[in-house]
Amino acid sequence: MTYEYEKVATPASGLRLHLNENTSGCSPAVVDALRRVSCHDAAFYPDYTAAIAACAKHLAVADDQLLLTNGLDEGILAASIVALRGGGEELPYEAIVVVPAFDMYAACADGAGGLIREVPQREDFAFPLQEVLQTIGPRTRIIFLTNPNNPTGLTIERAAILAIADAAPLATIFLDEAYADFSGTTLIGDAALVARPNIVVGRTFAKAYGLAGLRAGALVATPERLAPLRRVVPPYSVNAAAAAALPAALADTAHYTSYLEQARRSKELLYEMLDRLGVPHWKSEANFVLARFGSHAKRVVDGLSARGIHVRDRSADHGCAGCVRITAGVLEHTRRCIAAIEEVMCGAR
Ligand SMILES: *Cc1c(COP(=O)(O)O)cnc(C)c1O
């Protein structure tokens, strides 16, 4: 079986609430930093000194515990290659993916020659700890965990993550914290990591910091764990513009906290609307909400699209029949989306 990354059509115009991007844009300080990128910065291979220092300080880790990547996607690809290469066609190494999950895990694990073992979430997306533990075998080399999860927005208990790391010492536990800015919970800096060097934490500056277009992500692990990853990630994979942008983005805490606060309030508004309409949904620790519109899902997605608002139909994901994922960020954008959903749903009655 091959897994193809589901390439999302980019709408030519309209309100993009389908990819969890920061629709307020990045910090204006980032644009200033980009303006200062000189013709020599563009002509020379990038220097990462300032970007690494800013990022390491921000995450409170040492420079050698950090690897900057061209978006977190590149970190997922590099970790998949390092963990899964060399298993052979007959008995490939195995990746465990708890579904529904971010598409890139299966796409990258498959691309690296691994065999994917999917473990479905339980009823109501409860985390299937026992099932993951039972699926770990002698050939398991990478286990993808997303905290908070995409597309559900639900979290995994710390104890469950640690139990999995303990049960699979030969495997990389790839802990994707793409939405940790919103949950406020991270395993970076946790004392439990000292005894569990097999955990690699992934972060992105695409979501909360609004750098999706520039591509900036990071992996955090022990220097020993990162060493083989550094050999796989191309030496200049983060371009000079992204390297200049990162310190500026991290320094603008006002822009960041304003977006986090709007995301929190946007979720409240979405929950109220969904309750009013009787649409089941899950309380999210990220900047999006998953809602089960059921037989109305297609009507909602198409009706919103006709009004220039793009949301994501996740019906094809495991356990997500009739589910739509809506980015919850900028308040004004959420209000527009809510008005459009009410129009479409009330028109449907
Ligand atoms: C968006 C996302 C990423 C990818 O981040 P980039 O830095 O844009 O590559 C990784 N993991 C999850 C769960 C995401 O939702």
Side-chain angles (χ1 to χ4, degrees):
M1 191 169 9
T2 56
Y3 291 79
E4 228 168 281
Y5 179 55
E6 186 199 339
K7 292 195 181 60
V8 186
T10 303
S13 64
L15 181 53
R16 298 160 62 97
L17 300 180
H18 63 316
L19 291 174
N20 307 333
E21 297 155 331
N22 182 333
T23 56
S24 75
C26 67
S27 156
V30 166
V31 180
D32 291 342
L34 294 177
R35 283 203 191 92
R36 289 194 297 272
V37 171
S38 72
C39 47
H40 286 102
D41 291 331
F44 296 163
Y45 287 108
D47 180 287
Y48 299 131
T49 313
I52 290 171
C55 192
K57 181 162 178 269
H58 171 72
L59 296 172
V61 298
D63 286 11
D64 63 0
Q65 296 173 304
L66 176 78
L67 172 58
L68 292 184
T69 56
N70 189 290
L72 181 48
D73 283 353
E74 188 184 51
I76 295 168
L77 180 61
S80 298
I81 291 170
V82 168
L84 297 167
R85 66 185 166 193
E89 299 239 327
E90 297 279 300
L91 269 176
Y93 288 138
E94 297 175 6
I96 294 178
V97 179
V98 181
V99 291
F102 187 54
D103 304 320
M104 287 300 288
Y105 308 143
C108 292
D110 184 62
L115 180 76
I116 293 136
R117 297 229 177 265
E118 291 189 343
V119 177
Q121 315 251 28
R122 289 192 199 143
E123 184 74 24
D124 229 15
F125 302 126
F127 187 75
L129 174 61
Q130 288 315 318
E131 293 87 329
V132 171
L133 294 175
Q134 282 157 14
T135 307
I136 294 169
R139 303 193 69 79
T140 304
R141 287 296 181 277
I142 191 163
I143 302 172
F144 292 100
L145 301 176
T146 322
N147 195 33
N149 185 254
N150 176 9
T152 64
L154 302 182
T155 55
I156 310 173
E157 278 182 31
R158 176 178 174 276
I161 298 167
L162 300 183
I164 291 167
D166 288 339
L170 288 180
T172 293
I173 310 305
F174 193 96
L175 180 61
D176 184 329
E177 292 191 351
Y179 299 97
D181 298 277
F182 304 99
S183 69
T185 306
T186 179
L187 224 56
I188 295 174
D190 193 301
L193 289 191
V194 177
R196 294 169 186 87
N198 55 335
I199 298 180
V200 174
V201 181
R203 299 292 285 255
T204 178
F205 306 98
K207 308 283 162 54
Y209 287 93
L211 300 183
L214 284 168
R215 315 300 300 131
L219 299 181
V220 174
T222 64
E224 296 72 32
R225 201 79 193 177
L226 287 181
L229 293 159
R230 290 189 198 279
R231 290 194 287 276
V232 164
V233 173
Y236 300 113
S237 78
V238 176
N239 71 51
L246 194 51
L250 294 175
D252 191 349
T253 51
H255 186 80
Y256 172 78
T257 47
S258 154
Y259 180 66
L260 296 193
E261 176 58 13
Q262 291 192 71
R264 192 188 63 73
R265 292 176 60 197
S266 282
K267 285 185 284 186
E268 297 296 329
L269 293 181
L270 282 167
Y271 301 151
E272 277 169 30
M273 175 269 296
L274 293 165
D275 281 338
R276 245 183 348 259
L277 296 176
V279 175
H281 54 278
W282 291 266
K283 295 281 184 286
S284 164
E285 293 292 329
N287 67 336
F288 54 81
V289 171
L290 189 72
R292 201 185 292 278
F293 285 91
S295 58
H296 295 295
K298 196 175 163 1
R299 190 198 304 265
V300 168
V301 175
D302 291 349
L304 260 58
S305 174
R307 289 162 176 79
I309 300 173
H310 309 288
V311 294
R312 191 86 181 270
D313 190 344
R314 301 257 43 156
S315 289
D317 287 38
H318 173 87
C320 295
C323 286
V324 177
R325 193 192 65 198
I326 305 166
T327 300
V330 176
L331 269 168
E332 167 55 24
H333 296 166
T334 305
R335 291 199 183 98
R336 269 172 61 193
C337 179
I338 288 172
I341 290 174
E342 290 186 321
E343 216 176 274
V344 171
M345 287 293 281
C346 298
R349 287 226 177 98

